[in-house]
Amino acid sequence: MLSVLRNRTYRRLFTAQLVALTGTGLATVALALLAYDLAGADAGSVLGTALAVKMVAYVVIAPAVGAVADRLPRRALLVGADLTRAGVALLLPFVDQVWQVYVLIFLLQAASAAFTPTFQAVVPDVLPAERDYTRALSLSRLAYDLESLFSPALAAALLSLITYNWLFLGTVAGFLASAALVTSAVLPKPIAETTAPPTGSVYARATAGTRLFLAVPQLRALLALDLAVAAASAMVTVNTVVYVRDLLGRSAADVPLALGAFGAGSMAVALLLPRVLDRIPDRTVMLRGALLLTGVFVVLGAITSAGGGSWRWPGLLAAWAAFGAACSMVLTPTGRLIRRAAPAGERTSAFAAQFSLSHSCWLLTYPLAGWLGAVAGLRFAVFALGAVALVGGLLAVRLWPARESAPVEHEHAGLPAGHPHLADARRVGGGWRHTHDPLLDGLHAHG
């Protein structure tokens, strides 16, 4: 897996992702404790609303960025987003009202909605071989897990020395370091710069990725899988502080330990997946991960309903680790599906669409986890989100065709206008190159 780090450009981009996510992880812990200081037992509701604001920024901003990103210098876009995030994070220690949290979260995540899809679209250009790209996806999953493993452990250590407000300065440092690393990397030119410029209105370009997702069966299934993952991760992100502080009566230092259990489960699976995906289809791995989430919700229901017992703390850690493992089974191969479905020149739009649509699922589950936990209790929240995860998993099984094969490219000489393959073909030299892919089997039949 680490062999891809021999590529100098990818190594710098991966390091940029690593340091930015470490800073983000510190902010996640600090934000949970800030919400608890501002709202007490209603901290879950505050976090749920704040994360809903985050999702609104993602859903609205990402498609707009996808429509114009191919006309902007990618390095400037990435660095500008990092500097914006650093500036906003610098203001978070001074927050003393709940509404201020919501405003700053929107600004911070609007910048992230510009950064993340652009970053995701750059990596396939840097690592064009699928084997290398698969390993990069696993490394990226590991990097995200730092937000719930290494960063919370670091936060726990720092909280023994400083107050949580100082953790936000670590977030600022992470974004500044990321900007410096992206600046130093030599990025390949996007495909859009070497082919015909994009046509159509801004609205058409902004919705092109969404239309692709709605047309291809496997991508429709991916949206259902995202819904199942969103239910589990919302429960962890929003209600960990409530489980640890209120239900189990443990200290603030145990909050990052619980979040770290989620990251440990996710990281363990991400380390194994590159070899697994060489032998087992993406469909099998991802669908089993989604269905595993429902089983973990059953276990969490037992922990929540129990009136007492010292076993509940290790039980919660085990449930959080299992949630992390199942989510990683679904999320790690996602980039492979999108890469196969989207023409190279439209990858930013496709990744932006996935970013927006998947976070629409979080827009539903984050406030659901917070508001149900605060109003109806954690037991009802577990039942409702477990039902959402079950529906998402079953829908994915129903929508994803069982037959899968590797994509094969060949030439079409003189593809005429209106040909059914026109939507997924691109010009190469004097002819057209069409990619036959199981992702497109449900869209049209090869003739």
Side-chain angles (χ1 to χ4, degrees):
M1 182 191 301
L2 297 179
S3 61
V4 294
L5 294 176
R6 295 171 186 166
N7 183 302
R8 182 178 180 182
T9 297
Y10 176 70
R11 184 170 64 249
R12 294 191 179 189
L13 292 176
F14 176 71
T15 305
Q17 183 184 31
L18 206 62
V19 295
L21 286 172
T22 301
T24 301
L26 295 177
T28 299
V29 175
L31 186 61
L33 296 172
L34 173 63
Y36 191 79
D37 269 1
L38 294 176
D42 290 333
S45 180
V46 173
L47 282 175
T49 303
L51 293 170
V53 170
K54 168 183 174 178
M55 296 304 110
V56 169
Y58 283 174
V59 171
V60 172
I61 301 298
V65 171
V68 302
D70 53 3
R71 299 186 177 186
L72 299 173
R74 294 196 291 190
R75 188 199 312 276
L77 183 58
L78 292 170
V79 172
D82 267 338
L83 294 179
T84 300
R85 295 192 292 182
V88 173
L90 191 60
L91 299 176
L92 284 170
F94 305 102
V95 165
D96 58 7
Q97 300 291 328
V98 170
W99 68 267
Q100 296 170 351
V101 173
Y102 302 152
V103 171
L104 292 178
I105 288 297
F106 180 85
L107 295 175
L108 180 68
Q109 303 308 329
S112 293
F115 181 94
T116 303
T118 306
F119 182 91
Q120 290 173 330
V122 167
V123 175
D125 292 342
V126 174
L127 300 172
E130 176 147 320
R131 180 180 176 85
D132 290 340
Y133 182 54
T134 299
R135 279 143 183 78
L137 290 175
S138 288
L139 282 175
S140 180
R141 185 72 253 154
L142 292 174
Y144 277 106
D145 291 337
L146 287 174
E147 191 171 339
S148 50
L149 181 61
F150 174 74
S151 296
L154 177 60
L158 291 174
L159 286 172
S160 65
L161 303 172
I162 59 176
T163 62
Y164 68 83
N165 280 332
W166 289 97
L167 296 181
F168 289 119
L169 295 182
T171 304
V172 175
F175 289 140
L176 291 178
S178 174
L181 286 162
V182 171
T183 300
S184 68
V186 179
L187 303 184
K189 289 185 177 181
I191 297 296
E193 291 186 8
T194 61
T195 58
T199 59
S201 65
V202 173
Y203 175 79
R205 296 199 304 274
T207 58
T210 300
R211 285 184 273 115
L212 177 68
F213 266 77
L214 297 179
V216 179
Q218 282 84 347
L219 296 186
R220 290 201 300 268
L222 178 58
L223 294 181
L225 292 172
D226 285 334
L227 180 63
V229 168
S233 61
M235 198 69 199
V236 172
T237 304
V238 174
N239 284 318
T240 292
V241 67
V242 182
Y243 267 100
V244 173
R245 298 301 306 277
D246 280 358
L247 184 70
L248 301 181
R250 301 186 71 88
S251 69
D254 285 333
V255 173
L257 294 180
L259 292 172
F262 179 87
S266 180
M267 182 174 287
V269 169
L271 286 169
L272 296 173
L273 276 183
R275 292 184 179 180
V276 171
L277 291 173
D278 286 341
R279 302 189 305 272
I280 300 176
D282 295 353
R283 180 183 188 273
T284 301
V285 172
M286 297 174 76
L287 293 182
R288 288 182 180 178
L291 295 177
L292 175 61
L293 292 172
T294 303
V296 181
F297 268 109
V298 173
V299 174
L300 182 60
I303 295 172
T304 309
S305 300
S310 59
W311 63 271
R312 291 184 302 164
W313 172 237
L316 182 70
L317 294 178
W320 262 216
F323 270 145
C327 288
S328 187
M329 291 172 69
V330 175
L331 295 176
T332 302
T334 292
R336 287 160 53 107
L337 301 186
I338 299 171
R339 186 192 193 196
R340 294 171 187 166
E346 299 175 19
R347 281 181 186 151
T348 301
S349 177
F351 277 107
Q354 196 275 336
F355 190 79
S356 175
L357 292 170
S358 64
H359 285 90
S360 297
C361 299
W362 273 274
L363 181 58
L364 168 67
T365 58
Y366 273 143
L368 193 63
W371 296 337
L372 283 179
V375 175
L378 288 175
R379 187 184 307 176
F380 194 80
V382 170
F383 174 80
L385 290 169
V388 171
L390 177 61
V391 169
L394 294 178
L395 275 176
V397 172
R398 177 70 179 84
L399 292 170
W400 195 329
R403 185 171 64 87
E404 271 195 329
S405 59
V408 179
E409 291 188 340
H410 67 268
E411 299 291 336
H412 286 280
L415 188 65
H419 190 283
H421 295 284
L422 183 61
D424 58 295
R426 57 186 175 88
R427 183 171 293 280
V428 178
W432 287 84
R433 181 174 297 277
H434 171 67
T435 301
H436 288 285
D437 192 315
L439 291 175
L440 304 176
D441 287 347
L443 185 57
H444 54 67
H446 176 54

